Amino acid sequence: MLNVVWVPELNELVTGEVRELLLAARAVDTRPEVKAEGPLPGEFSGGLHLLGHDEGKLVGYAHLDTSGDAFGRQVAELIVHPDRRRQGVGTRLVEALVEKVGEPDKLRVWAHGDHPAAARIAERAGFARARELLVLHVNVAGADWPEPVLRDGVSLRTFVPGQDEQAVVDVNARAFDWHPEQGQLTVAELTNTERADWFDAEGFFLAEREGKLLGFHWTKIHPADPGQFGGEPVGEVYVVGVDPDAQGGGLGKALTLAGLRYLRDKGLAQVILYVEGDNTPAIAVYTKLGFTRYSVDVQYAR
């Protein structure tokens, strides 16, 4: 019998159980990006944890971000062990999430990979597709990425830690004031990210005019993963942000090209990026640069 319980934090033993479940899901779904050791991925930190045990084994898990997104909605990540799918576990976890949040319109639930089973659970619980996050990718070999073209007076340079954080955060907030997560980036969060193993200031491009930041392209390099992209390291167009006052002049494309050429020069075979499914202008730009759809994540809402 499934026993469902909420806990405010995970102890060492339960963290091990959750990691085992996430790794089992990753072996089948290629998601989430969890490692065999070290901290759990950031999307499972803080908030509340929902544990579903059956005969002492963790068969379902959900994390609820109680701090909410930029619009005050609580966001959940839900994973069912591959061996226990289509047995009512996901439905029971969704019921517990709805009961916990209380206000149905204040809950969003991610389904990574757009699985039909997740769609069926969502429909039964009265949820509908509210957001699509596309993962696009491009094979670097043969990609014809020209030199970026900048307007007169605009120059490119790379990020300087300890100097550029506030300017980047300010432009990011203006560029993504519509976005549920990205627009909330703080100086403290950016500074903390600079300590990550993957952070590379040389791959963080800033566009300026007369000392004023107009936009940026922050790239990322993921280490080789046997379960994805042929087991090779992969580059990412991590964030491209352009101040609304500087949009419409090709600056976003120029910044994107600068980052892509940098990732190509690093010897990477593939580059990925995440883009909102309804961001038609951005998708058009990326398509012209050779990107095609790789996968899609769906966020469900009532």
Side-chain angles (χ1 to χ4, degrees):
M1 182 176 180
L2 186 66
N3 178 41
V4 176
V5 61
W6 286 98
V7 297
E9 58 183 323
L10 303 179
N11 59 32
E12 185 175 352
L13 177 62
V14 179
T15 297
E17 289 185 295
V18 172
R19 186 190 308 279
E20 183 179 347
L21 186 152
L22 298 181
L23 287 170
R26 179 172 176 76
V28 174
D29 306 329
T30 73
R31 309 284 287 279
E33 294 186 16
V34 60
K35 297 180 180 178
E37 54 186 25
L40 295 177
E43 61 265 34
F44 303 112
S45 62
L48 293 173
H49 306 268
L50 180 61
L51 308 173
H53 285 92
D54 189 6
E55 297 184 352
K57 179 178 176 62
L58 185 68
V59 297
Y61 166 72
H63 175 266
L64 181 64
D65 181 1
T66 53
S67 62
D69 63 15
F71 305 105
R73 301 174 300 219
Q74 298 185 43
V75 182
E77 301 273 350
L78 189 155
I79 300 94
V80 176
H81 194 287
D83 294 341
R84 291 300 305 272
R85 293 175 179 175
R86 302 193 180 201
Q87 297 177 34
V89 176
T91 297
R92 180 67 188 91
L93 294 180
V94 170
E95 291 172 348
L97 284 166
V98 171
E99 181 181 356
K100 188 68 173 179
V101 174
E103 301 178 73
D105 62 337
K106 293 296 184 181
L107 174 64
R108 293 288 182 99
V109 183
W110 278 112
H112 297 290
D114 194 15
H115 293 289
R120 287 192 293 270
I121 292 172
E123 183 179 7
R124 286 196 296 267
F127 284 75
R129 299 168 80 96
R131 179 182 172 194
E132 291 186 347
L133 185 62
L134 307 182
V135 183
L136 308 183
H137 79 126
V138 61
N139 291 316
V140 174
D144 182 19
W145 293 326
E147 288 271 3
V149 177
L150 299 168
R151 283 187 168 184
D152 290 344
V154 178
S155 60
L156 283 182
R157 65 175 177 86
T158 53
F159 181 86
V160 178
Q163 171 186 297
D164 294 322
E165 287 83 358
Q166 188 64 61
V168 167
V169 166
D170 290 345
V171 168
N172 182 82
R174 290 193 292 273
F176 294 102
D177 62 353
W178 53 273
H179 197 277
E181 300 97 17
Q182 182 61 36
Q184 300 183 89
L185 179 70
T186 66
V187 169
E189 290 170 339
L190 176 51
T191 302
N192 186 58
T193 303
E194 292 170 27
R195 303 187 185 101
D197 292 341
W198 61 265
F199 181 81
D200 177 15
E202 294 302 309
F204 198 153
F205 297 90
L206 309 184
E208 294 180 321
R209 179 188 287 121
E210 298 179 352
K212 180 183 178 181
L213 184 65
L214 304 178
F216 63 91
H217 180 185
W218 187 358
T219 69
K220 181 176 182 178
I221 297 178
H222 298 263
D225 184 334
Q228 292 197 67
F229 304 106
E232 298 180 344
V234 62
E236 180 181 347
V237 177
Y238 188 49
V239 187
V240 177
V242 177
D243 191 301
D245 291 340
Q247 291 177 0
L251 183 58
K253 180 179 179 180
L255 283 163
T256 302
L257 285 170
L260 288 174
R261 289 166 63 89
Y262 174 79
L263 294 171
R264 181 180 64 188
D265 292 346
K266 286 295 219 180
L268 298 166
Q270 295 189 72
V271 177
I272 65 169
L273 61 85
Y274 292 80
V275 62
E276 297 295 330
D278 60 357
N279 192 344
T280 303
I283 294 173
V285 170
Y286 295 134
T287 299
K288 290 178 181 178
L289 292 173
F291 283 86
T292 57
R293 181 181 294 206
Y294 180 76
S295 66
V296 59
D297 296 334
V298 179
Q299 196 177 79
Y300 288 94
R302 279 188 164 183

